[in-house]
Structure formats: structure tokens, C-alpha cells
Amino acid sequence: MLDKAPNGKVSNLLNTLGKALAAGEVENAVDLFQTDCYWRDLVTFTWNIKTMEGKEQVRDMLKARLADTKPTNWKIADGEDASEADGITESWIQFETGVARGFGHMRLKDGRIWTLLTTMSELKGHEEPVGFDRPMGAKHGSERNRKTWKEEREAEVAELGYSRQPYCVIIGGGQGGIALGARLRQLNVPTIIIEKNERPGDSWRKRYKSLCLHDPVWYDHLPYLPFPRNWPVFSPKDKIGDWLEMYTKVMELNYWGSTECKKASYDEKSHEWTVVVQRDGREVVLKPKQLVLATGMSAKANMPKFEGMEIFKGDQHHSSQHPGPDKYKNKKAVVIGSNNSAHDICAALWEAGVDVTMVQRSTTHIVKSDSLMELGLASLYSEQAVQSGMTTAKADLIFASLPYKILHEFQIPVYNAIRERDAEFYKRLEKAGFLLDYGDDDSGLFMKYLRRGSGYYIDVGASELVANGSIKLKSGVDVKRLTEHSVILSDGTELPADLVVYATGYGSMNGWAADMISREVADKVGKVWGLGSATTKDPGPWEGEQRNMWKPTQQDALWFHGGNLHQSRHYSQFLSLQLKARMEGIPTPVYGLQKVNHLG
Ligand SMILES: Cc1cc2nc3c(=O)[nH]c(=O)nc-3n(C[C@H](O)[C@H](O)[C@H](O)COP(=O)(O)OP(=O)(O)OC[C@H]3O[C@@H](n4cnc5c(N)ncnc54)[C@H](O)[C@@H]3O)c2cc1C
């Protein structure tokens, strides 16, 4: 029989919390939290994405925001039961604020709140038209000159951006811009997505030809329209491109392909952007109230500068420009870098009969895909998880409920187990000279991703080629210079080369703001991504959340969106609600707007 005791504990606590909050008794509410507590709020109390760490920060936030927020109706979420294990009681919860409905998650330790997640599900009076409220589609009855769905859609496409201005412009129509566009469409926020490539999905199609998603299908669903049950575990890049193209069409997004944003500027007086775009060779000026840069966190290429690049006679390009191996058969290639792209490209070159050398300057974290799937992701994102009733929405929220400050503590045991399981594999790689790491604090891949967005390879086969010498390796060295036909390394080695690929990663997304808006605005918003963990490439101070992503920035009406498919799906919900609230004139006082500690 189901043990209902945890339900009693959670309900009692929620009742007490609800009463204290309703009465404005901040101290009584704070008393319900553990000393080492974390309250992560996605937009409900703070109109921000923010984690309050410890009682003092909870107290400060409540003092500033409680009166405005007016939270009520705290209870265990409908249809859910609390559970208890290892001294922790946890539960899905629901609540309301003055303007929104919220859903969340709570963990209790010794009868007090240890972690609390509060997220905005919908704005009251502005709910998405679903279920009983879905559109009729057909218009029954008779009417002269009535318009069909197709005619209405064509009229919208013809008007928007010309005779009628969009409320929001999203620059970048990769999966990030598309997912956000879909959410805004459902919320009836007039939006145009600007994309310089011709077709939705091209940003994947144009990547090197061997690329398949590194994350499994359960992690990759888009909002509203999950992949079918026969979709491959690791989607090939052109297949995901086709899915995005189909999705853009059926979700009725206003997607301007073959359109490049040339310039954008904000008028602080009229609170309006002027966005100059080149559409099919013609200039169009858009005047949205909100501007979202969804231009890709893995898109602003870091191209190194080495002496002699200008005299090198072979082909040389950044990994993002690499066309694939076909024309390099029987030639010699040098790939600079040792992370995901470098490995994928080296393996594809080797398969095509190219003599390839990888140049590794510093350590890389490697994790075998199978191990990552089984030990890292399976409990939330896997077929087993689906079979045991886990939904994508719940998996995303459980993940979101783990505060960043202590997330590494949950990750370290996972990567220790992976190290043990794959000890032989790691030994062979080291024997081949490969320089390994497991993250500065051994917390592995996901923390590296959140902190610096780089520094790892999810092994789908290339590591074996490195270990057995098929892919040649020069490690612990840097490039000194290029000659007409070779790469000279810092240890004096000369590597003859017909092709040099710079798999040297990507820069901060505020670089896009510098290109399209101004250096001043780029510096005003500062670095995008990272947590301030004071680990390699993620300088402190601690910021508690990812810098500038999906939340207000220091530049009014400028937003950054993106990340992997999981983040893009999950956080597009909260970004779309922030935009919708602004469009509807709902007050959105931002609590704890981040300070800028780094420029880029
Ligand atoms: C090799 C590689 C493998 C990856 N594997 C995975 C994976 O397995 N799973 C995963 O989730 N993520 C993966 N990623 C991360 C991946 O970049 C993102 O998931 C995804 O592409 C991000 O989508 P996005 O829409 O944010 O950016 P992008 O897909 O980069 O899209 C940005 C778009 O902005 C457009 N743009 C830029 N400037 C302008 C302008 N001025 N005007 C108009 N348009 C403009 C670009 O043309 C581009 O289409 C991988 C990345 C790389 C490089």
C-alpha cells in the first residue's frame, strides 16, 4: 500500500508556508527553510532566473518580492504523491501568484525545506489554447467572402514585418530560435525569426557530414511535438534538419530564411528596436519591442591566428566550415584541437583514407557515449525512464531542481563510477599519449558544459582510433607556425599538411551583440554562459545561474536564447512567458538583475 506519510509532511509544510506568505510573515516563512537551503525561481517570484542560496538570500528576496507576488494555494500537485528516501522527502507542488500559475518541486530534510523549485507554468488570462480551448479550425455556418485558414495564413505572412510590426524579433533560426518561436506563437506574441541560411535546419545540415547528435533522442524533443517512437537514438544531422524544417512549417512560424540581420539599435525613449535586415537582397527595417539573439553558443567561431597562415598553400578552415572528408582522400590533414568536433572530424577523415594527426594542447574530458547514457542520463532521459513513467517535462524539472551550487556534488559520483567502469579504456588512451581530465573537480561532462561549454568529447568511436594510433596524436604541444606545406609545433615537430582544421571552439554570444548592435552594448551585457565557478574558462565570482541566458540582461529588451536541445526546450518556456507578460503590460519587476563581471 502506498505510504501516505510523506504527503502529510509536505502538506503540513505547504500549509504553514502558504499561511506565512499570505500574512506577509517573512521570518516565519524563512524559518521553514534549512540553513543550507536553495530556492531556485524560474520567473514566478523574481521575474528572473535566480537561485537564492541560504536563508539570508531567501529572506532578502521575500522582503523585496512577496507583497507584489501574492502567492497562494500551495499544495501537492494534482495527481501526485510525495515520496521519501534516504532521509529526504520530495514532492511536486503547485501554487499561484497574483498573475500566474506555478508548478514546482520541493525536497525536505529534517522537516525543513532543503531545495525549492518554483516555475511559471502560465499567465492567468493568457493561457495557451489547448485541450478544451483548442481552436475550432473550421468555421461552421455561412458567411460571405470568408477566408480559409490558408488565406489567413498568407495574409499574415504578407503583412507581418511590412504593414504590421512584430512584437518580437528573434535573430537566428536554428533549433533555439525555432523552439522559442513556437512557444511565442502559442502565446499569440507576433514574432519573426530571422535566419541567414535558406531553410530551417540548415545550421545542422551545413555542419560536417558525419555529424550525428551526441545526445540521445529522449533529451532532444522540441516543445509540443515530441519525436515519434521510432526516431533513432542519435539523430543524423540532416534528419534533425528536416525535422526542424517540418516543425517550423506545421507550427506556423513566421520564419524569414535567406535573411541576414545587419544592424540593430535600441531607442531608450520609445523602447523600440530598429532592426535592419537584408531579405532576399532587399533591405527591410523592423521595429520590434523585444530582440532575442538566438545566434548560437556554438556558432561564433574562435579562429586562432598563427604565424604563416597566410602563406599556407593547402586548405585551412575552422571546424564549423569543414565540408567533410571526401576531397582529402590520400592526403595529409592536421586537426588542431581535441574536443568533440576535433574527434568527429578526425574519425571521418580517417574513415575516408586521410592521414590525420590531432594536435592536443591541453587536457580533454572523454566519456564513452554508452557510459554517459547508462550512468549519466538513464534515470531521466532513456527508454527505461519512459517505461517507468518519466515524462520529458518532469525530467526537465527534476534536473532544474538541482541547484547549480551543489550540482557538482551529484555529478562527481557518476563520473567516478564511469572512470571505474571504463578504467581500461582510459588507460589505453593515456598510453597513446592522450591528456585526460575529468573536470577541475572531477565532476565531468555536464558541469564542463554548464561552466565553459567546451573541453570534452562524447566518445562514439574516435577514441579507439586515437588509442590504436590510427588517428595520430601530438599532445602537450601548441602550433608555433605554418609553412607553405606544413604545421610546425612548439616542440619543433613538422607535420606535412594538405589540410588544417582549426577545431578551436566558439566565443561568447555577446560577440554577436558586438557585431550586430555595438561594442558598447556587448560590454554592457557582458559574457554570456558559465556560472562563475572559478574553474578553467569559467572565472569567478560565483553567479549562481548561467550568465545572461533566457533572462533579463543589463540591456533593456535584449535577450539571449539557445543551448542544447534540452535547454532550448525547457528555458524557451520561461523566456516566452517573460516576453508575453511584457507584451500584455503585466508589471515584471526584475529581482536581482545580474551584475557584469566579465566582458566576454
Ligand atoms: C559539432 C557540434 C555538435 C553538436 N551536437 C549537439 C547535440 O548532440 N545535441 C545538442 O543539443 N546540441 C549539440 N550541439 C550544440 C548545438 O550548437 C546546439 O544544440 C544547436 O545548434 C544550437 O542551436 P541554436 O539555435 O542555439 O544555434 P545554431 O544552430 O548555431 O543557430 C544559430 C543560427 O543563427 C543564424 N545567424 C547568426 N547570425 C545571424 C544573422 N546576423 N542574421 C541571421 N541569422 C543569423 C545562423 O545562421 C544559425 O542558423 C552541437 C554543436 C556542434 C558545433
Side-chain angles (χ1 to χ4, degrees):
M1 220 179 95
L2 195 63
D3 179 12
K4 295 278 176 187
N7 278 356
K9 279 188 203 172
V10 172
S11 293
N12 283 344
L13 191 131
L14 287 174
N15 277 338
T16 318
L17 177 69
K19 277 187 194 144
L21 294 177
E25 293 164 352
V26 170
E27 281 315 316
N28 289 346
V30 172
D31 265 357
L32 299 170
F33 286 78
Q34 285 278 333
T35 310
D36 68 333
C37 62
Y38 301 91
W39 181 347
R40 184 159 195 237
D41 183 55
L42 307 185
V43 182
T44 60
F45 277 67
T46 59
W47 289 107
N48 198 350
I49 293 184
K50 186 152 183 68
T51 304
M52 278 56 70
E53 297 171 357
K55 287 170 116 165
E56 205 172 314
Q57 290 189 12
V58 170
R59 180 183 296 113
D60 290 348
M61 188 279 282
L62 284 176
K63 280 187 177 163
R65 294 292 311 130
L66 181 57
D68 248 14
T69 307
K70 300 187 183 62
T72 52
N73 288 338
W74 294 85
K75 56 178 184 166
I76 293 178
D78 292 340
E80 300 291 344
D81 278 305
S83 61
E84 212 158 55
D86 303 328
I88 306 287
T89 310
E90 54 184 310
S91 181
W92 296 107
I93 60 168
Q94 65 186 60
F95 62 100
E96 290 180 32
T97 69
V99 298
R101 287 183 198 87
F103 193 84
H105 186 270
M106 195 164 76
R107 290 187 186 85
L108 305 182
K109 206 161 59 173
D110 301 327
R112 286 197 158 80
I113 299 168
W114 174 40
T115 70
L116 176 62
L117 172 74
T118 47
T119 78
M120 190 178 285
S121 313
E122 57 187 2
L123 289 160
K124 291 177 187 172
H126 304 286
E127 296 81 1
E128 294 187 7
V130 295
F132 288 112
D133 297 323
R134 72 166 79 222
M136 270 302 270
K139 287 180 200 153
H140 293 164
S142 332
E143 193 186 317
R144 283 225 162 99
N145 301 321
R146 72 155 84 187
K147 287 216 165 94
T148 63
W149 170 84
K150 185 164 181 274
E151 285 160 346
E152 281 179 359
R153 183 79 184 105
E154 282 165 357
E156 179 189 5
V157 168
E159 275 168 36
L160 198 66
Y162 295 97
S163 56
R164 183 161 67 91
Q165 285 302 317
Y167 179 75
C168 179
V169 165
I170 301 172
I171 313 289
Q175 44 94 359
I178 290 171
L180 179 63
R183 300 240 189 226
L184 290 171
R185 176 91 197 171
Q186 295 308 305
L187 288 170
N188 206 9
V189 177
T191 300
I192 295 178
I193 303 168
I194 301 294
E195 170 55 53
K196 65 183 171 201
N197 287 319
E198 189 186 343
R199 291 158 56 202
D202 278 354
S203 63
W204 283 104
R205 289 189 192 96
K206 287 189 172 176
R207 289 181 176 147
Y208 48 86
K209 79 176 212 177
S210 58
L211 179 65
C212 291
L213 290 192
H214 295 114
D215 297 322
V217 61
W218 306 280
Y219 195 72
D220 298 335
H221 296 296
L222 269 72
Y224 307 110
L225 199 55
F227 295 110
R229 290 179 61 202
N230 64 351
W231 197 261
V233 174
F234 299 106
S235 185
K237 71 175 181 80
D238 295 280
K239 195 169 168 70
I240 198 84
D242 288 349
W243 182 262
L244 288 171
E245 190 166 17
M246 176 280 297
Y247 185 92
T248 302
K249 183 151 191 168
V250 300
M251 298 306 285
E252 300 176 20
L253 306 189
N254 293 302
Y255 192 95
W256 288 13
S258 303
T259 306
E260 186 168 359
C261 174
K262 293 292 190 188
K263 196 90 205 108
S265 57
Y266 189 62
D267 185 331
E268 303 279 349
K269 284 202 190 100
S270 61
H271 300 284
E272 193 169 81
W273 287 95
T274 299
V275 182
V276 181
V277 306
Q278 197 78 19
R279 188 179 193 197
D280 290 326
R282 252 187 265 146
E283 187 175 289
V284 182
V285 178
L286 299 169
K287 295 273 190 180
K289 297 289 183 197
Q290 308 288 340
L291 183 66
V292 181
L293 299 189
T295 34
M297 62 151 303
S298 304
K300 188 121 190 76
N302 267 341
M303 189 67 176
K305 285 199 179 89
F306 295 121
E307 185 190 329
M309 279 166 91
E310 67 292 346
I311 56 163
F312 181 65
K313 290 265 195 297
D315 283 358
Q316 53 180 336
H317 43 243
H318 186 263
S319 57
S320 55
Q321 305 296 320
H322 181 61
D326 297 349
K327 67 178 202 185
Y328 302 108
K329 193 173 163 49
N330 298 326
K331 301 220 158 139
K332 288 186 187 310
V334 175
V335 176
I336 314 296
S338 53
N339 293 333
N340 257 331
S341 298
H343 276 86
D344 280 354
I345 290 170
C346 283
L349 287 166
W350 177 84
E351 282 178 6
V354 181
D355 175 331
V356 57
T357 304
M358 178 189 284
V359 177
Q360 181 186 28
R361 184 173 58 178
S362 54
T363 58
T364 301
H365 175 52
I366 307 264
V367 58
K368 283 170 91 68
S369 177
D370 292 352
S371 305
L372 182 65
M373 295 244 295
E374 282 166 41
L375 301 181
L377 288 173
S379 60
L380 295 180
Y381 302 99
S382 66
E383 203 55 47
Q384 299 90 297
V386 172
Q387 298 299 328
S388 63
M390 180 61 71
T391 63
T392 309
K394 275 190 177 168
D396 289 353
L397 287 169
I398 292 175
F399 210 87
S401 75
L402 298 168
Y404 285 141
K405 184 81 179 178
I406 52 171
L407 187 53
H408 63 284
E409 292 172 19
F410 293 81
Q411 297 286 303
I412 289 168
V414 173
Y415 288 88
N416 283 343
I418 289 177
R419 265 166 101 160
E420 213 177 295
R421 168 182 157 139
D422 297 329
E424 204 45 45
F425 163 77
Y426 289 124
K427 217 187 276 170
R428 291 182 58 238
L429 268 175
E430 280 179 322
K431 211 166 154 216
F434 198 86
L435 305 173
L436 287 169
D437 73 59
Y438 301 86
D440 285 12
D441 51 3
D442 291 342
S443 60
L445 185 134
F446 197 69
M447 293 313 302
K448 269 198 158 187
Y449 173 70
L450 290 172
R451 290 165 172 172
R452 53 181 278 194
S454 67
Y456 48 80
Y457 167 55
I458 301 175
D459 178 38
V460 290
S463 289
E464 180 53 37
L465 297 175
V466 173
N468 70 24
S470 302
I471 294 172
K472 296 173 187 163
L473 177 70
K474 286 295 297 177
S475 59
V477 287
D478 205 346
V479 174
K480 197 160 172 233
R481 65 190 168 87
L482 275 75
T483 69
E484 286 187 356
H485 300 288
S486 67
V487 178
I488 312 279
L489 302 177
S490 51
D491 67 353
T493 309
E494 177 164 12
L495 300 172
D498 303 296
L499 165 70
V500 181
V501 181
Y502 301 101
T504 39
Y506 300 90
S508 164
M509 278 180 79
N510 67 330
W512 293 109
D515 291 352
M516 282 180 261
I517 309 169
S518 66
R519 184 75 253 169
E520 196 192 350
V521 168
D523 289 349
K524 188 172 164 190
V525 299
K527 184 175 166 67
V528 178
W529 207 262
L531 298 168
S533 60
T535 56
T536 308
K537 296 197 176 173
D538 181 26
W542 177 245
E543 313 225 8
E545 291 288 341
Q546 296 219 274
R547 298 180 188 99
N548 279 315
M549 291 301 294
W550 317 290
K551 60 182 181 179
T553 67
Q554 290 285 349
Q555 172 59 57
D556 193 22
L558 178 66
W559 310 79
F560 293 89
H561 177 63
N564 63 28
L565 283 146
H566 148 84
Q567 290 172 306
S568 189
R569 168 184 68 240
H570 179 62
Y571 288 104
S572 56
Q573 177 181 333
F574 308 107
L575 177 48
S576 65
L577 288 167
Q578 292 174 79
L579 294 166
K580 172 71 174 174
R582 282 163 174 80
M583 188 180 95
E584 297 299 337
I586 296 168
T588 55
V590 176
Y591 177 76
L593 183 68
Q594 73 202 321
K595 293 198 182 84
V596 173
N597 294 305
H598 304 283
L599 295 185

